[in-house]
């Protein structure tokens, strides 16, 4: 029988990319704790780890970082299609069509071998920040900013959107924010990428499927909903009223509960730490303390713990990002894991086909058009 709450707990594939231990509240990338990676690595190291299986040596990192920097300018056609779609186009739709457009000019298009997938992946993952920033600034009627070759991958993304070179606190924070969103097993977007790849579709098509899935309000789109809730609360005195109204209306409280983790989402712990460090560095703890207050009320009312998105939203706001930027930035981070999943799927492919339980009408006698009433 098909479970009423969706495809939950079914074994989808075998992977060596990440380990999600829900009962223990543990997440590892290639065996490394997500907490250690978020605190002590740059995002380039995490991309390398997910793609090649090990953390890079200093020499390997320098070479890989140089490759990333060399591919930062996306094809003109991808920028043109963002511009033609216009500022009113949803940021995730804009990113999706731009990534798909990149396939047309990719020299490795049609080649799904592991090496070709990683070459294509490198070109896409370095272009996605520029594509995201281009639409963000167009939406706000600001001139685009060219990539800065002196900045790392994550901080360059922040610079191109916000328009200011980040200080050390923000550099550490944006690297951690992207690391924490780089990979999470066979989550909906990674599953979408693998299903598409399993048909022998190319990397660009698989990433487009993943971006479309992440867009949904029950996935990456939830980050924006968290910020909107916190802005509506505004101060501690209104928190109970807003939360109680949501509960009375039987609405989901953004940023709380997780289908996988029944207790603590390990990413939420790290995002909370990022928020505290950013608020301390800025000398303004209002947003951080408001989030803590909301967490306490929700836990007392429902027993739910925050998921990754709850503290991710105020962290992104403290970095100077607008709510509309949250999901595309999450996509830029997830791309590291998506590309690893597509390469893994193509390397030992089995078409992913699920069965359905039919609940419609059974055999019926055909009625000619003129006899139907």
């Amino acid at each position: 029988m098909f479970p009423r709450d969706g495809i939950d707990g079914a074994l989808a594939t075998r992977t060596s990319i990440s380990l999600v231990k829900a009962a223990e509240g543990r997440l590892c990338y290639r065996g490394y704790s997500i907490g250690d990676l978020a605190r002590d690595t740059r995002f380039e190291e995490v991309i390398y780890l997910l793609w090649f299986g090990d953390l890079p040596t200093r020499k390997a990192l320098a070479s890989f970082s140089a490759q990333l920097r060399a591919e930062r300018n996306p094809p003109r056609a991808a920028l043109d299609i963002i511009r033609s779609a216009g500022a009113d186009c949803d940021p995730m739709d804009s990113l999706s069509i731009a990534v798909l457009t990149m396939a047309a000019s990719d020299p490795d298009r049609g080649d799904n071998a592991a090496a070709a997938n990683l070459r294509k992946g490198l070109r896409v993952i370095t272009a996605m920040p520029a594509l995201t920033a281009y639409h963000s600034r167009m939406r706000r009627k600001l001139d685009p900013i060219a990539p800065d070759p002196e900045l790392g991958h994550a901080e360059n993304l922040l610079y191109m959107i916000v328009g200011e070179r980040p200080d050390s606190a923000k550099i550490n924070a944006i690297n951690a924010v992207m690391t924490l969103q780089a990979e999470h097993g066979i989550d909906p977007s990674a599953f979408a990428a693998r299903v598409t790849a399993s048909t022998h579709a190319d990397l660009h098509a698989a990433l487009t499927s993943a971006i479309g899935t992440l867009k949904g309000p029950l996935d990456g789109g939830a980050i924006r909903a968290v910020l909107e809730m916190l802005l509506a609360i505004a101060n501690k005195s209104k928190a109970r009223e807003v939360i109680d109204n949501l509960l009375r209306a039987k609405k989901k409280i953004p940023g709380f509960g997780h289908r996988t983790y029944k207790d603590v989402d390990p990413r939420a712990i790290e995002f909370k730490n990022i928020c505290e460090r950013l608020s301390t560095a800025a000398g303004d703890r209002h947003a951080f303390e408001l989030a803590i207050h909301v967490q306490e009320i929700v836990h007392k009312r429902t027993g739910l713990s925050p998921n990754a998105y709850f503290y991710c939203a105020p962290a992104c706001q403290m970095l100077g990002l607008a709510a509309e930027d949250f999901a595309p930035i999450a996509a830029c981070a997830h791309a590291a894991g998506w590309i690893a999943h597509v390469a893994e799927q193509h390397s030992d492919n089995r078409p992913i086909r699920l069965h359905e339980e039919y609940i419609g009408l059974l055999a019926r006698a055909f009625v000619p058009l003129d006899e139907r009433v």
Side-chain angles (χ1 to χ4, degrees):
M1 293 291 289
F2 183 79
R4 297 282 300 186
D5 55 352
I7 303 171
D8 196 1
L11 184 62
T13 191
R14 301 173 69 188
T15 182
S16 63
I17 300 170
S18 69
L19 172 67
V20 180
K21 294 289 285 185
E24 301 171 17
R26 188 159 64 95
L27 172 62
C28 299
Y29 297 172
R30 304 282 192 185
Y32 290 98
S33 163
I34 188 65
D36 291 340
L37 294 172
R39 289 187 293 270
D40 297 321
T41 62
R42 293 295 180 93
F43 189 58
E44 291 92 334
E45 296 175 73
V46 175
I47 300 172
Y48 189 99
L49 170 67
L50 292 174
W51 290 8
F52 301 108
D54 289 302
L55 287 170
T57 63
R58 189 174 294 279
K59 181 179 179 180
L61 179 60
S63 174
F64 186 62
S65 297
Q67 293 178 61
L68 290 171
R69 285 180 168 86
E71 299 286 352
R72 280 182 176 170
N73 290 305
R76 172 53 57 182
L79 295 174
D80 288 345
I81 201 165
I82 290 177
R83 187 168 57 252
S84 64
D88 291 335
C89 181
D90 184 279
M92 291 292 274
D93 293 338
S94 173
L95 182 61
S96 178
I97 58 177
V99 167
L100 193 57
T101 298
M102 288 184 66
S105 60
D106 196 293
D108 288 305
R109 69 179 184 275
D111 187 349
N112 289 339
N117 272 331
L118 292 179
R119 288 194 298 270
K120 287 185 284 189
L122 190 141
R123 287 187 280 269
V124 174
I125 201 169
T126 50
M128 284 176 68
L131 297 170
T132 294
Y134 188 85
H135 185 271
S136 175
R137 294 188 69 82
M138 181 178 71
R139 192 178 63 245
R140 292 175 288 144
K141 296 180 172 55
L142 298 172
D143 291 334
I145 294 177
D148 187 333
E150 295 183 5
L151 295 178
H153 186 88
E155 54 262 38
N156 182 64
L157 168 59
L158 184 62
Y159 164 68
M160 288 190 294
I161 293 176
V162 176
E164 297 178 357
R165 292 175 66 96
D167 59 24
S168 59
K170 289 184 177 179
I171 287 175
N172 291 334
I174 190 62
N175 275 279
V177 164
M178 296 191 73
T179 291
L180 291 167
Q181 298 183 85
E183 165 64 6
H184 195 247
I186 308 299
D187 61 9
S189 59
F191 182 64
R194 291 192 78 127
V195 169
T196 303
S198 79
T199 69
H200 285 168
D202 59 56
L203 177 77
H204 295 85
L207 294 183
T208 302
S209 295
I211 293 169
T213 303
L214 188 69
K215 175 186 174 182
L218 296 183
D219 202 336
I223 310 174
R224 179 174 178 174
V226 172
L227 182 62
E228 290 172 348
M229 178 185 70
L230 292 174
L231 291 175
I233 292 173
N235 58 70
K236 293 180 181 180
S237 63
K238 290 181 60 179
R240 283 185 173 80
E241 177 187 354
V242 172
I243 297 304
D244 287 343
N245 286 340
L246 287 171
L247 292 174
R248 275 193 294 270
K250 297 184 178 180
K251 292 183 178 180
K252 179 178 174 60
I253 301 174
F256 285 87
H258 197 281
R259 291 289 291 274
T260 300
Y261 303 105
K262 303 309 178 186
D263 187 15
V264 178
D265 184 333
R267 299 167 300 173
I269 296 171
E270 299 305 325
F271 274 121
K272 183 177 181 179
N273 291 336
I274 294 168
C275 283
E276 184 169 21
R277 290 194 293 269
L278 283 172
S279 62
T280 299
D284 182 358
R285 294 177 61 87
H286 172 76
F288 176 62
E289 291 177 355
L290 176 62
I292 291 176
H293 185 64
V294 171
Q295 177 188 346
E296 292 171 348
I297 293 172
V298 173
H299 191 267
K300 185 177 295 184
R301 295 284 198 274
T302 68
L304 294 174
S305 297
N307 58 39
Y309 296 144
F310 182 68
Y311 283 102
C312 178
C316 288
Q317 183 190 30
M318 291 179 201
L319 287 170
L321 299 167
E324 293 83 0
D325 296 321
F326 293 177
I329 288 173
C332 290
H334 274 284
W338 293 338
I339 292 163
H341 278 286
V342 171
E344 188 177 65
Q345 183 68 39
H346 279 157
S347 69
D348 184 24
N349 189 58
R350 297 291 187 277
I352 298 174
R353 294 189 178 95
L354 301 176
H355 296 284
E356 76 282 353
E357 179 187 6
Y358 178 69
I359 59 171
L361 297 170
L362 298 177
R364 308 167 74 185
F366 177 76
V367 180
L369 179 59
D370 291 341
E371 298 177 21
R372 296 174 202 162
V373 293

